[in-house]
Amino acid sequence: MSLCQLLSILELFHIADGIERARLFSRFFQVVEKNLLLITVIMLEEIQSKPVVCVQLFLWNIMDLLRYPHELLCLMEKPSITMLWTRYTLWIPVYILSAATEGVTIYQALPYVEPKVPESSSSNSTGSSQLHLSFALMFYLPVLALGASVTVWLLLKERKHHLNRWNKQTKKKK
């Protein structure tokens, strides 16, 4: 799973090469947030067995199942209004749930990275790295909320654009 998620960086190259039409900023934010959460889950074995991690992975897969069939049909030049509507309408609430469960996962991970009082000066570097990770995760929560809000706003704009374009195309054909 971690290898597949790390390979999701290729999505950014697909956008840059024009294979996929999407906003680079929002996709970049999604790829970075997924990879950061995955690294956090891998680093903290205690969090791996939490139910929220299973829900998170399930939501990521649902998002991909909503996006990729539509993209494939567009590449084959056989777009479907059902797939278009599904991709741009259902994807938004699933993304919101995914961002929320990501926040819960980070919040549940915080107790496991809380800095411990160093017993000696040799373990000071371990306490320091845990302190940095704890602050990074606490800083990440509001960044996640802000980034997810901007992404949802962009997704709503993108949905309106694509559905309006489809409606104009179907009116021209009639």
Side-chain angles (χ1 to χ4, degrees):
M1 181 68 183
S2 60
L3 176 63
C4 290
Q5 194 55 50
L6 289 173
L7 287 175
S8 69
I9 293 171
L10 294 174
E11 291 182 38
L12 302 175
F13 292 108
H14 292 165
I15 294 170
D17 290 341
I19 296 171
E20 184 181 353
R21 292 185 194 131
R23 295 181 188 266
L24 187 60
F25 172 74
S26 61
R27 188 64 55 84
F28 174 76
F29 184 76
Q30 293 164 16
V31 168
V32 168
E33 76 183 47
K34 283 181 178 183
N35 286 325
L36 286 176
L37 183 68
L38 187 64
I39 290 168
T40 302
V41 168
I42 290 170
M43 286 175 40
L44 302 171
E45 291 181 21
E46 300 89 354
I47 200 81
Q48 292 174 5
S49 62
K50 299 278 186 186
V52 72
V53 174
C54 180
V55 171
Q56 182 69 56
L57 295 175
F58 177 74
L59 289 171
W60 283 351
N61 288 320
I62 293 296
M63 287 170 47
D64 290 338
L65 285 173
L66 290 172
R67 185 174 74 220
Y68 289 129
H70 169 70
E71 296 298 331
L72 179 63
L73 287 173
C74 287
L75 282 174
M76 294 171 39
E77 296 179 3
K78 296 182 180 185
S80 161
I81 185 63
T82 306
M83 289 304 299
L84 178 80
W85 184 87
T86 302
R87 193 263 190 252
Y88 287 105
T89 302
L90 294 181
W91 208 83
I92 295 170
V94 173
Y95 177 76
I96 293 169
L97 284 173
S98 176
T101 56
E102 187 174 337
V104 169
T105 303
I106 296 294
Y107 182 76
Q108 288 184 356
L110 284 173
Y112 298 107
V113 295
E114 288 297 320
K116 298 175 178 83
V117 178
E119 295 174 9
S120 67
S121 62
S122 64
S123 65
N124 194 13
S125 64
T126 305
S128 175
S129 66
Q130 286 180 338
L131 181 67
H132 292 294
L133 182 59
S134 177
F135 283 131
L137 290 178
M138 285 190 290
F139 176 74
Y140 181 67
L141 284 173
V143 170
L144 172 67
L146 178 65
S149 300
V150 169
T151 300
V152 167
W153 176 71
L154 289 172
L155 288 171
L156 287 169
K157 277 180 60 175
E158 194 173 343
R159 177 187 182 276
K160 183 179 177 182
H161 169 75
H162 285 286
L163 291 176
N164 284 341
R165 194 174 85 202
W166 181 272
N167 287 335
K168 287 178 185 177
Q169 286 177 353
T170 56
K171 286 179 183 178
K172 284 181 183 179
K173 289 179 182 178
K174 291 179 181 181

